[in-house]
Amino acid sequence: MAAAVSSIGIMDGAYFVGRGEILHWINATLQLSLAKVEEAASGAVQCQLMDMVHPGVVPMHKVNFDAKTEYDMIQNYKVLQDVFNKLRIVKNIEVNKLVKGRPLDNLEFLQWLKRYCDSVNNRIMNENYNPVERRSKGCKERGSKGSNKSSKSLQANRLSGGDSADGGPGVGKVCNTFAEEHYIEQIQQLSEKIADLKVSVDSMEKERDFYFSKLRDIEIPCQRPELEHLPVSPRLRELNARFQMTKAVRKILYAADAKDSPLPDANDIITKSPGLFSDEAE
């Protein structure tokens, strides 16, 4: 049956159901008070309608009834898509259009969804399903994950105005209390990431300065004016001089302590090198 409903054409009678009938069906089924079809653009209503016809399949604790940003709405549609996949419902959810709140796009999707729900329950409402309780329970389960990190003062403030999360009508006010806890947790996580990034930046800057100082220490001996008069012959003297220069460079490169510069030792190797800066140099 799911496959048959998912493949209905645009000329099917399902797409001729008016907005008024769709809104009446949603409000009566889920005990809501939607005035426009675009108020269901967050995807939360669609998730709960699937929860009604397939109890236990929809993870209601992941459904955000207070979603206002496109990011949060997309998360709801991800939940809905996972439900479709579990039930092997082949239906393309045009998330990018739905989250924009376009009336026609949302109406068409709700028309399809009504047709699907009617095909599953034969238009008989599940009397054992309590939509308000399911919303409230889902919000509490979702919000409880961030409650451990919430301050006592914020908890007191939320309790003083706690009537907004009792699961009553009005989708936008169902989960204000628990959404607040969720955002507090997100802020704390982002703050921790920022602190970690600052530590990483400090570490990289220290490492950069360490290697820059090494390069600078190598540059200084190489710029000594005496090096311009290295002897061309005899060959052995020249090789020995270059070998001593290499030792000086290696002394700098392999010095592990960034505080004590190895430059004096390197210069000492060059200065004491026999024949490197000899008066006999030609």
Side-chain angles (χ1 to χ4, degrees), residues 205-269:
E205 287 180 347
K206 290 179 180 178
E207 188 173 2
R208 178 202 62 190
D209 294 342
F210 175 74
Y211 286 109
F212 179 80
S213 66
K214 283 186 177 292
L215 291 173
R216 181 59 183 155
D217 286 346
I218 292 172
E219 184 181 28
I220 291 173
C222 292
Q223 290 178 337
R224 291 178 62 161
E226 298 94 327
L227 292 179
E228 297 179 2
H229 305 290
L230 280 175
V232 178
S233 62
R235 183 64 174 169
L236 183 60
R237 172 191 276 179
E238 179 183 356
L239 291 175
N240 180 60
R242 297 189 186 280
F243 173 72
Q244 296 301 327
M245 189 65 191
T246 302
K247 281 182 63 178
V249 171
R250 288 170 62 88
K251 180 74 175 177
I252 295 171
L253 286 177
Y254 293 108
D257 193 346
K259 295 181 180 179
D260 298 327
S261 174
L263 183 58
D265 292 338
N267 274 327
D268 190 54
I269 292 174

Side-chain angles (χ1 to χ4, degrees), residues 118-190:
D118 289 345
S119 69
V120 173
N121 58 20
N122 294 320
R123 299 189 179 184
I124 300 174
M125 188 174 295
N126 184 356
E127 296 181 356
N128 296 324
Y129 186 78
N130 188 329
V132 176
E133 182 180 343
R134 285 293 290 160
R135 280 197 298 276
S136 180
K137 182 179 179 182
C139 291
K140 289 178 180 178
E141 289 177 357
R142 182 166 58 84
S144 63
K145 294 182 179 180
S147 61
N148 292 334
K149 296 183 179 180
S150 301
S151 65
K152 293 182 179 179
S153 60
L154 286 173
Q155 288 176 345
N157 291 336
R158 283 194 295 274
L159 288 174
S160 65
D163 293 340
S164 61
D166 60 357
V171 177
K173 297 182 180 180
V174 175
C175 295
N176 287 339
T177 298
F178 305 105
E180 182 182 345
E181 294 177 348
H182 173 68
Y183 291 135
I184 289 173
E185 182 181 17
Q186 283 188 329
I187 291 171
Q188 290 175 336
Q189 290 175 349
L190 290 173

Side-chain angles (χ1 to χ4, degrees), residues 16 36 80 89 95 116 194 237:
F16 291 93
K36 301 178 182 178
L80 185 63
I89 299 174
V95 179
Y116 175 81
I194 291 173
R237 172 191 276 179

Side-chain angles (χ1 to χ4, degrees), residues 33-93:
S33 56
L34 302 185
K36 301 178 182 178
V37 292
E38 52 266 39
E39 291 179 19
S42 71
V45 167
Q46 292 85 333
C47 287
Q48 189 168 13
L49 288 170
M50 292 299 294
D51 181 65
M52 177 193 67
V53 294
H54 296 289
V57 176
V58 181
M60 289 297 291
H61 65 280
K62 293 184 179 181
V63 180
N64 185 359
F65 278 88
D66 197 41
K68 291 181 177 63
T69 66
E70 288 191 9
Y71 174 82
D72 289 334
M73 294 178 184
I74 289 172
Q75 305 313 306
N76 284 340
Y77 282 109
K78 285 183 178 180
V79 173
L80 185 63
Q81 186 63 68
D82 288 341
V83 172
F84 281 7
N85 293 340
K86 288 179 183 178
L87 298 173
R88 298 183 179 179
I89 299 174
V90 182
K91 173 62 178 175
N92 180 36
I93 304 177

